[in-house]
Amino acid sequence: MDSAILSLLGAFLLSIMGLFVFIWSMRKGLLVENPRAASVIFARGEIGQIDDPALQDAGRAHLQAAAAEPGDDAHEGHAPDPQELEHRVQADRSSAFPVFMFIAFAIFWLVLGSAAGLTASLKLHMPDWLVGEAWQTFGRVRTMHLTAVLYGWITNAALGLIVWLLPRLLRTPLIGAVWVMLGGALINAGIASAIGAIGAGWSDGMEYLEMPWQIGLFIVAGFLCIIGPVLYTLVNRKVESLYVSVWYLVAALLWITLLFLVGKLPGVHTGVQQATTNWWYGHNVLGLWFTPISVGAIYYFLPKIIGRPVRSYNLSILGFWTLAFFYGQVGGHHLIGGPIPGWLSTLSIVQSMMMIIPVAAFTINMAGTMWGRMHLVRHSPTLRFMMFGGLMYMLSSVQGSLEALRSVNQVAHFTHFTVAHAHLGAYAFVTMVLFGAIYFMLPRVLNWEWPYPRLISLQFWLAAIGIGIYFVGLTIGGWLQGLAMLDASRPFMESVALTIPYLQWRSVGGALMVTSHLVFAGHFLAMALRFGPARTGAALFAPASPKALELVHGK
């Protein structure tokens, strides 16, 4: 039995185990509508009170006035529980250094990786630019870009989110912060080594798994160092009900470790089996790592900002379990028409269509939560990122399901259409959510407000317009490219030439995105170096009064 079948069989067995856990959860009543579990992210008296640390005092007042609803008076008589606030403050203090480290690394790799991405984009329509050295060639620059943004930016930001959010949700200080920081150091040493190795021409040659397996050992070791403290903190929690974000974040951390370990096993995956395993990993790294992290973030930050519990806790749990059930075999649709068994392609197509269920559960839940409150997006920059990311999750997932159909796949495959779709998911959805999460987290990590709030809106619009131009241009150009390649009467070079204008628009959109990243990085540095108006103390380096900040941001 070859390695690809073993990997698929293992994923199937994990799905069966998940099914039994799902049945057990139903028997225990965990899927019964639970308003108490939906409200666990709020301390007493916080429901109805907005919370967006990215806003200044005047902005918070405007958002609070816009968010006011009938019945809020019933909550005004409940003073915040000092003990609950103390648990939150202790949780934030315990994770401050690891979170700052992860975010700093993430922003560094974001700037470096996006610069490499723009360079690769320009080389598609300026092929004679930067050809003096081997590491400047398109193949290596693009691969360095992928490694920097997928592992450097998204993975570091995701780990920072996990380490910050879980102690808050569990109302328990992070246990083993030193091990978490060691894990972060190992992961980032691996990322730096991988980028250097790829630039030098040393690569394993599988998309998203290009780093040599010898360097991948650092990544696995880093994840294992982080898993221990996360699980130990979970076991020692002070809350009875686990909020849905905990399910998403913990599962995602376990999934990515297993996925990466299986994908990088040396000397096991060869030939067609290697391609099957490659896309089993390549799609699952999006669906079982990036997606649960981002969806879990939205389930926390969106209700927290508007001060209202999520509309249906039941739907949120349903979305989690159906994601776990249906996503494992989706990657096979990248191999339609390849030398793989027909049943594998069909299974992948079926599971791709079934992914509409968790996406619909999430979309209905978020729409219900924001019903009658959509206007609040005008007042809250963090909410703007979360709502944009949530909308793009729906669009990218529906597009992905349709793209798995054979009739669509035969046109879109091997074209820039697929690149546009990948960026709709990894950037418009995942990255925009992570931007919003960092804007919310850092004032609590550093106990220092963002010095120039207008830069947050500027960065949002640069990124949103940039990815819009990027996606629309490549989608149209990629589809025309696919039609041209299927037309036997047209020479292949015609399919290349017709994409040039759309590739130029790709570079325009990419340039706007890179500009937004520079604004983001500059604002982060200004905050870390204490530029701008001094409105609060510096909790990370000299704790002042974080409980007072909790009260300010909750009013």
Side-chain angles (χ1 to χ4, degrees):
M1 188 178 294
D2 59 56
S3 61
I5 298 299
L6 284 174
S7 298
L8 294 171
L9 180 60
F12 175 73
L13 291 176
L14 287 174
S15 296
I16 294 297
M17 292 171 59
L19 177 61
F20 280 108
V21 174
F22 181 68
I23 294 172
W24 174 83
S25 300
M26 293 181 65
R27 288 180 59 85
K28 292 293 185 180
L30 297 181
L31 298 185
V32 175
E33 198 59 64
N34 189 348
R36 180 180 177 185
S39 301
V40 75
I41 63 174
F42 300 103
R44 187 180 67 175
E46 284 189 333
I47 294 180
Q49 302 298 315
I50 61 91
D51 189 3
D52 187 353
L55 290 172
Q56 294 177 306
D57 292 340
R60 280 193 290 270
H62 290 151
L63 178 58
Q64 184 63 65
E69 297 180 10
D72 286 348
D73 294 342
H75 300 286
E76 290 184 358
H78 299 288
D81 186 337
Q83 187 176 13
E84 287 184 281
L85 292 180
E86 184 61 31
H87 287 161
R88 191 181 294 169
V89 168
Q90 290 177 0
D92 286 354
R93 281 177 169 171
S94 69
S95 63
F97 276 105
V99 172
F100 182 80
M101 176 193 72
F102 281 122
I103 293 177
F105 274 125
I107 294 175
F108 170 77
W109 294 120
L110 173 68
V111 173
L112 183 67
S114 56
L118 180 59
T119 301
S121 178
L122 290 169
K123 287 174 73 67
L124 285 173
H125 54 88
M126 298 168 55
D128 295 329
W129 181 53
L130 294 180
V131 294
E133 301 290 339
W135 67 269
Q136 297 173 342
T137 57
F138 174 83
R140 295 192 191 181
V141 170
R142 178 184 180 273
T143 306
M144 289 189 285
H145 157 69
L146 282 176
T147 303
V149 295
L150 295 182
Y151 294 101
W153 155 243
I154 297 180
T155 295
N156 270 295
L159 290 171
L161 177 65
I162 292 172
V163 172
W164 185 80
L165 201 49
L166 282 182
R168 273 197 152 220
L169 292 172
L170 303 174
R171 297 181 185 174
T172 304
L174 178 66
I175 300 172
V178 173
W179 286 99
V180 172
M181 296 188 71
L182 174 61
L186 288 171
I187 289 173
N188 283 282
I191 294 166
S193 301
I195 293 174
I198 291 167
W202 181 24
S203 168
D204 277 357
M206 293 196 295
E207 191 160 7
Y208 303 144
L209 287 169
E210 290 91 352
M211 68 175 67
W213 68 265
Q214 295 89 339
I215 295 175
L217 293 174
F218 287 90
I219 307 294
V220 174
F223 278 127
L224 292 176
C225 287
I226 296 169
I227 286 175
V230 166
L231 294 182
Y232 198 59
T233 303
L234 178 64
V235 170
N236 289 276
R237 65 186 183 274
K238 296 176 183 176
V239 294
E240 179 181 353
S241 299
L242 288 180
Y243 189 64
V244 65
S245 295
V246 177
W247 293 68
Y248 276 107
L249 299 181
V250 174
L253 183 58
L254 298 177
W255 281 333
I256 184 56
T257 306
L258 178 63
L259 289 168
F260 191 86
L261 180 61
V262 173
K264 293 305 297 180
L265 287 174
V268 176
H269 315 299
T270 58
V272 174
Q273 292 78 22
Q274 184 185 58
T276 305
T277 305
N278 187 183
W279 282 110
W280 171 80
Y281 173 85
H283 225 292
N284 283 341
V285 76
L286 172 64
L288 297 179
W289 175 227
F290 300 159
T291 295
I293 290 294
S294 303
V295 171
I298 293 174
Y299 268 120
Y300 176 81
F301 291 109
L302 190 144
K304 187 71 173 170
I305 293 166
I306 66 175
R308 310 288 172 182
V310 67
R311 178 64 181 85
S312 172
Y313 191 77
N314 196 1
L315 269 180
S316 67
I317 295 295
L318 176 66
F320 170 79
W321 284 112
T322 49
L323 174 72
F325 292 161
F326 299 136
Y327 208 98
Q329 313 302 334
V330 167
H333 75 249
H334 283 273
L335 301 172
I336 293 175
I340 62 172
W343 64 263
L344 180 57
S345 297
T346 302
L347 174 63
S348 175
I349 294 169
V350 171
Q351 293 216 357
S352 296
M353 297 307 296
M354 294 299 289
M355 275 302 298
I356 293 176
I357 296 175
V359 173
F362 170 83
T363 304
I364 292 170
N365 212 359
M366 290 299 101
T369 304
M370 292 302 299
W371 190 261
R373 304 175 181 127
M374 296 291 185
H375 61 285
L376 299 181
V377 73
R378 299 198 305 265
H379 303 278
S380 170
T382 309
L383 184 63
R384 197 173 301 143
F385 280 100
M386 292 296 160
M387 289 182 63
F388 184 91
L391 177 62
M392 293 303 109
Y393 172 50
M394 180 194 70
L395 294 178
S396 63
S397 297
V398 171
Q399 185 192 42
S401 295
L402 296 176
E403 195 175 342
L405 299 174
R406 286 184 172 90
S407 58
V408 178
N409 191 277
Q410 69 177 352
V411 179
H413 204 39
F414 300 123
T415 71
H416 296 295
F417 186 97
T418 304
V419 179
H421 169 67
H423 281 77
L424 186 65
Y427 193 91
F429 164 42
V430 176
T431 290
M432 294 297 272
V433 169
L434 292 176
F435 282 148
I438 291 173
Y439 279 124
F440 190 103
M441 291 191 300
L442 267 186
R444 300 295 173 80
V445 172
L446 299 175
N447 205 11
W448 191 271
E449 297 189 5
W450 290 98
Y452 309 109
R454 291 186 178 181
L455 291 181
I456 300 176
S457 292
L458 174 63
Q459 195 244 329
F460 171 83
W461 288 112
L462 285 171
I465 295 171
I467 188 58
I469 294 172
Y470 189 108
F471 173 75
V472 172
L474 281 193
T475 298
I476 297 172
W479 192 260
L480 295 176
Q481 178 190 14
L483 293 175
M485 288 196 295
L486 291 174
D487 188 346
S489 66
R490 303 170 71 178
F492 174 75
M493 284 308 297
E494 185 176 332
S495 71
V496 176
L498 67 83
T499 63
I500 297 300
Y502 302 99
L503 293 175
Q504 291 170 340
W505 278 109
R506 164 185 172 153
S507 294
V508 172
L512 290 175
M513 292 152 67
V514 172
T515 304
S516 80
H517 302 163
L518 294 175
V519 172
F520 181 56
H523 203 185
F524 167 77
L525 286 175
M527 185 180 192
L529 297 175
R530 301 297 184 257
F531 291 167
R535 291 184 292 275
T536 56
L540 182 59
F541 303 107
S545 55
K547 188 180 295 185
L549 189 63
E550 285 292 334
L551 290 170
V552 167
H553 286 159
K555 290 186 178 179

